[in-house]
Amino acid sequence: MAFALSSQVILIVTNMNIVSAPFMVGLAVPAGVPLGSDLVEKFGSFTGGVLMNILISTAFMRADLYLFISNFFNLKQSMIVMFVAFLLKMLGCMIPPVMLKMPINEAAALGLILNYTGFVQLNQSSDHRDRGEFSDKVYGFMAFYILLNATFIPIVVKKLYNPSEIYDGKYNRNALMIKPHSELKILTCIYRQDNADSYIKLLDTINPSKESPIGIYVLHLVELIGRYVPVLVSHSKQKPISTNTSQKIVYDFNQYENNNWDSVSVQLFTSLSSFSLMDEDVINIALEKKTPLIILPLHRRWSIHGCIEADDKGWRIVNRNVLEKAPCSVAIYFSRGSLVRQRFKRGSSFVSYLSVCMIFFGGADDREALILARRMLKNPQVTLTIIHFLRKDHQEEMDESEDRIYDAVLIEDIKNMSTTNEHLDYRSHCVDDGAQTLSMVRALANQFDLFVVGRRYGVSSPQTSGLSEWIELPELGIIGDLFASKDLTTRASVLVVQEQMKIRQLGNL
């Protein structure tokens, strides 16, 4: 800070531009961790939330807009120069991209972005006025132009360019499309070190084997602090980022690959980005690697005593963006305890099993969750219980919609498997309303180690009627939200699955 203040004083004394001092300090401070990120965390809120607002407010308060309006026609020459400069810059920015076959709307968006003016230009205009290089009339015109520019260009750019359009309708992947003995590719996103341990246990439950291998793409997401340029590093090609967290995650998954060399392949990435842009890295890797499933950790974390320890809203934004835009199925995984196998006595020896429960109501998300749960059944150390919630009036049997037909085929297959597989148990329960469903879920909460449920986004049914009014985390759906609730005491882990949003939308057309 002393260096920043002293550099500012020197530049003012030498009559240089006032913006040059912070720019030079920014160049001198190393970007990222540890110094750059620490400075941003300590002073970012004060400088961006207080000083920046004071700067912008005082700059506009000094602009005499009445003087500009009353001399509107006398400033015709300045306005013509500004308008011509804007058009020439737009053309200069658009012609090369259009010649390289970029769509016109994207080229126009690029031109507008490069023509954007903000607080830097406003500060420079204010400095020129103080130096006597701008008259009050010209400064009023510049302030008015910057205000219009900063207001309307972001709106027009959002209308011209929508990055999520490149994912729509082109890539449709889910677990139902995976062939029985083909490789299951999973993109696992990690926010914290403790995510890695629980993920490895979950992936082990999915039962990687030589006949049904798993390709794991691990993306460690790190919030970008102290720099503006996002970074994506592939650890298979470059050295890992020099942070203890990334190194530990890389080591854990490399060890997991070495221990399962014939059934697991691992590729690791680290992404440094802002919360608003992280979903693009997730989606781009999912597209490039053609993964049918993305697994995200929940933004909420519990302590060993069962209390909520952290509730990070930034990671919640990332999860919701990925759920909305993902080109494949998405699962959110959270653990309120440790995913460990229970020991049962069989004869004279003890056998360890992981008890998995899949709660089935019906619909695309539940079918996707059922496919994943059925794959876990291939693991000899897993017992799977399918609990099917039915309406008491059995209206499902008379419903011949396409969704109900798909549900019936899958459930019939599960019933047939349960007669020959001692590790599979199918149960059906008739319920009247959401209150009975809630009561049964509470009774099941401590009977199993892992629950697999569908998100059932936007789906209403009599079995869950009334529960949607109390939902706290819509990204988990009604049942997933119950397991993440503060009012439910459980040590179980939960996997909430959503089929690709675009497939559902196409199916409803």
Side-chain angles (χ1 to χ4, degrees):
M1 291 299 294
F3 174 66
L5 292 174
S6 60
S7 63
Q8 186 73 59
V9 171
I10 292 172
L11 289 175
I12 292 175
V13 171
T14 55
N15 203 30
M16 293 181 64
N17 193 317
I18 197 172
V19 182
S20 302
F23 178 72
M24 292 178 65
V25 173
L27 291 177
V29 175
V33 294
L35 182 58
S37 58
D38 288 345
L39 288 175
V40 171
E41 288 181 352
K42 289 182 180 296
F43 303 106
S45 299
F46 178 69
T47 56
V50 178
L51 297 182
M52 185 67 69
N53 292 334
I54 293 175
L55 171 66
I56 295 173
S57 300
T58 53
F60 277 111
M61 289 172 62
R62 299 171 68 189
D64 192 343
L65 295 183
Y66 176 77
L67 187 62
F68 156 64
I69 295 172
S70 62
N71 290 273
F72 184 81
F73 294 102
N74 296 333
L75 294 170
K76 182 166 57 176
Q77 183 177 1
S78 298
M79 289 187 287
I80 291 175
V81 170
M82 201 64 133
F83 181 72
V84 170
F86 182 88
L87 287 182
L88 291 177
K89 191 173 181 180
M90 278 289 296
L91 291 174
C93 296
M94 288 180 62
I95 291 175
V98 170
M99 292 177 65
L100 294 173
K101 299 182 180 180
M102 178 184 284
I104 295 179
N105 62 318
E106 295 183 11
L110 177 62
L112 289 172
I113 291 172
L114 295 177
N115 270 285
Y116 178 80
T117 57
F119 67 89
V120 174
Q121 289 77 15
L122 180 64
N123 188 33
Q124 289 177 333
S125 298
S126 178
D127 187 45
H128 287 311
R129 175 187 177 277
D130 294 339
R131 295 169 182 268
E133 298 169 1
F134 280 176
S135 64
D136 289 341
K137 293 182 291 185
V138 173
Y139 178 67
F141 165 64
M142 289 298 300
F144 184 70
Y145 169 77
I146 291 171
L147 177 63
L148 292 179
N149 186 293
T151 301
F152 291 105
I153 281 186
I155 299 174
V156 177
V157 168
K158 287 183 179 180
K159 293 291 184 182
L160 291 174
Y161 178 63
N162 181 12
S164 63
E165 288 181 353
I166 64 175
Y167 317 128
D168 292 346
K170 296 182 181 179
Y171 305 93
N172 299 328
R173 299 190 187 94
N174 56 24
L176 285 167
M177 299 178 181
I178 303 172
K179 296 180 181 179
H181 296 292
S182 62
E183 181 185 37
L184 173 61
K185 297 180 179 180
I186 302 176
L187 173 58
T188 59
C189 301
I190 293 181
Y191 300 156
R192 301 176 300 268
Q193 169 56 37
D194 60 324
N195 296 151
D197 300 329
S198 59
Y199 266 28
I200 289 174
K201 293 177 181 177
L202 175 66
L203 294 169
D204 208 36
T205 304
I206 298 176
N207 189 41
S209 63
K210 190 174 181 180
E211 294 76 21
S212 300
I214 295 180
I216 305 171
Y217 302 94
V218 182
L219 178 60
H220 181 208
L221 294 168
V222 181
E223 183 186 4
L224 184 67
I225 301 176
R227 60 189 305 166
Y228 286 95
V229 181
V231 177
L232 178 64
V233 175
S234 172
H235 294 294
S236 59
K237 299 176 182 179
Q238 302 178 28
K239 292 182 179 180
I241 295 178
S242 58
T243 62
N244 294 332
T245 306
S246 290
Q247 289 178 354
K248 184 67 167 61
I249 291 171
V250 170
Y251 175 79
D252 288 345
F253 277 95
N254 282 337
Q255 284 293 106
Y256 182 64
E257 182 182 25
N258 293 335
N259 295 335
N260 302 271
W261 61 270
D262 59 341
S263 57
V264 173
S265 61
V266 176
Q267 291 188 35
L268 298 113
F269 305 87
T270 296
S271 169
L272 284 89
S273 184
S274 61
F275 287 130
S276 60
L277 298 177
M278 280 182 183
D279 59 286
E280 295 187 11
D281 284 334
V282 176
I283 293 170
N284 288 333
I285 292 180
L287 287 174
E288 180 184 347
K289 304 302 180 182
K290 300 180 180 179
T291 61
L293 179 64
I294 299 171
I295 302 181
L296 303 167
L298 187 66
H299 66 281
R300 180 175 290 178
R301 185 170 77 250
W302 287 264
S303 67
I304 58 175
H305 304 293
C307 302
I308 295 178
E309 190 176 55
D311 202 347
D312 198 316
K313 304 303 181 184
W315 297 120
R316 187 183 183 189
I317 293 172
V318 177
N319 287 353
R320 299 182 75 166
N321 288 341
V322 174
L323 285 168
E324 182 180 350
K325 304 175 186 177
C328 59
S329 296
V330 182
I332 295 181
Y333 176 68
F334 61 94
S335 180
R336 299 185 64 166
S338 180
L339 189 60
V340 295
R341 294 184 175 92
Q342 298 181 7
R343 291 170 58 84
F344 299 93
K345 189 172 183 179
R346 175 172 291 182
S348 60
S349 60
F350 286 91
V351 182
S352 297
Y353 288 108
L354 182 74
S355 57
V356 180
C357 176
M358 195 275 145
I359 298 177
F360 188 87
F361 291 90
D365 291 345
D366 279 10
R367 290 195 298 272
E368 193 77 358
L370 182 57
I371 293 298
L372 289 174
R374 193 170 65 179
R375 184 182 177 104
M376 296 178 185
L377 189 61
K378 296 179 181 179
N379 191 326
Q381 295 180 321
V382 168
T383 61
L384 175 61
T385 302
I386 308 293
I387 298 182
H388 189 186
F389 284 91
L390 298 167
R391 291 175 57 182
K392 278 192 175 178
D393 53 10
H394 296 286
Q395 288 294 323
E396 288 92 344
E397 297 177 2
M398 298 181 290
D399 192 343
E400 296 184 357
S401 64
E402 188 176 2
D403 250 9
R404 293 299 182 190
I405 293 173
Y406 289 151
D407 293 344
V409 170
L410 273 177
I411 291 298
E412 189 63 30
D413 185 40
I414 290 296
K415 288 179 180 179
N416 295 333
M417 289 176 62
S418 65
T419 60
T420 58
N421 192 332
E422 63 177 1
H423 288 184
L424 175 61
D425 182 21
Y426 171 80
R427 308 174 192 172
S428 62
H429 294 280
C430 296
V431 292
D432 280 330
D433 51 26
Q436 291 187 9
T437 299
L438 176 60
S439 178
M440 293 198 66
V441 169
R442 287 182 178 275
L444 295 168
N446 291 296
Q447 296 182 21
F448 300 92
D449 304 314
L450 173 64
F451 287 89
V452 182
V453 301
R455 183 190 178 199
R456 305 183 78 244
Y457 175 78
V459 178
S460 59
S461 62
Q463 298 97 315
T464 57
S465 61
L467 297 180
S468 59
E469 300 175 6
W470 304 96
I471 192 168
E472 182 184 1
L473 304 174
E475 60 269 28
L476 295 180
I478 293 175
I479 303 302
D481 181 73
L482 289 177
F483 282 105
S485 172
K486 305 172 184 177
D487 302 324
L488 186 66
T489 303
T490 180
R491 303 290 292 170
S493 301
V494 182
L495 185 69
V496 181
V497 183
Q498 174 195 272
E499 186 189 44
Q500 183 189 356
M501 190 75 74
K502 188 62 180 179
I503 295 180
R504 184 187 296 106
Q505 292 170 352
L506 291 174
N508 293 334
L509 294 179

